[in-house]
Amino acid sequence: WTVRQPFTFSPDRAELKPGASMNIKATFSPKDATYVVGRAVLSVENKEPIEMAISGIGKYPFLMASTRSVDFGQVHVGETVKQTVAVRNASPVPATFKVESRGVFHTPVFAIAPTAGVIPAHSEQLLTVKYAPASTGMYSQDAYDVVTPGGNTLGLEFSGSAVGPLVSASTSVIDFGDVAAGVCVARS
């Protein structure tokens, strides 16, 4: 077989016994979104070449998110809060994706799962985002990109504030009144 990229045939050469047949695997691996027309030529010893038309349409995946920004609000240090973001593949082709941090130079307080995978055509993948603040009074905001090999990038931002325990007293005054020396008086 003689064929040009982005098409391949496998195996591209073989020897067949009289009356035998063989399956050939044809592969199309487009590098960009375009309509490709080609031809495959089968050369057989002592015969005229056999030509076959081949074509395919390269498509870029198109990803959309249910939300591009998640604010976790105030979360107590030591707690972990989860939210989900639905990433939808609106294209007619599967979308391979990878989640990449956009310059987080500190210990991350946000965790995303899964960080890679394939979203089938016209389907969605739920990303679970966890926020686990570590220091009271800290505001965190980080950005991530969901990247596909075709170049479609979906930006996501997450934010939240870390708060400590909220403590209060039921009263602002305790009056013991007159108490004789050497006597112990308690109030609740």
Side-chain angles (χ1 to χ4, degrees):
W1 285 101
T2 303
V3 64
R4 290 192 179 168
Q5 291 292 333
F7 302 101
T8 58
F9 280 22
S10 178
D12 63 350
R13 53 178 76 242
E15 186 174 316
L16 293 175
K17 297 193 184 290
S21 66
M22 169 183 261
N23 288 327
I24 303 295
K25 180 179 178 182
T27 305
F28 176 52
S29 301
K31 300 296 182 215
D32 53 13
T34 188
Y35 178 64
V36 182
V37 176
R39 66 184 181 125
V41 179
L42 175 61
S43 299
V44 180
E45 191 175 296
N46 300 323
K47 297 258 183 188
E48 285 293 315
I50 301 170
E51 291 190 22
M52 178 189 307
I54 51 177
S55 64
I57 302 172
K59 298 274 188 174
Y60 287 129
F62 179 70
L63 301 181
M64 302 181 299
S66 57
T67 183
R68 303 279 300 263
S69 177
V70 176
D71 183 0
F72 285 87
Q74 295 185 336
V75 177
H76 291 274
V77 172
E79 288 185 348
T80 299
V81 180
K82 294 182 203 177
Q83 291 203 33
T84 58
V85 174
V87 176
R88 179 152 184 72
N89 177 10
S91 68
V93 294
T96 301
F97 75 94
K98 180 171 50 167
V99 178
E100 297 177 346
S101 170
R102 210 184 307 152
V104 176
F105 301 109
H106 55 81
T107 302
V109 293
F110 300 101
I112 303 169
T115 57
V118 176
I119 306 171
H122 302 293
S123 290
E124 70 180 23
Q125 170 73 54
L126 293 179
L127 300 181
T128 301
V129 184
K130 294 180 184 178
Y131 174 47
S135 300
T136 301
M138 176 173 265
Y139 173 78
S140 298
Q141 182 175 5
D142 289 336
Y144 295 85
D145 288 324
V146 181
V147 181
T148 64
N152 180 224
T153 300
L154 178 65
L156 302 174
E157 291 187 2
F158 307 111
S159 61
S161 298
V163 294
L166 299 174
V167 179
S168 63
S170 61
T171 183
S172 59
V173 175
I174 298 177
D175 182 6
F176 286 97
D178 295 329
V179 178
V183 176
C184 180
V185 176
R187 300 275 191 265
S188 301

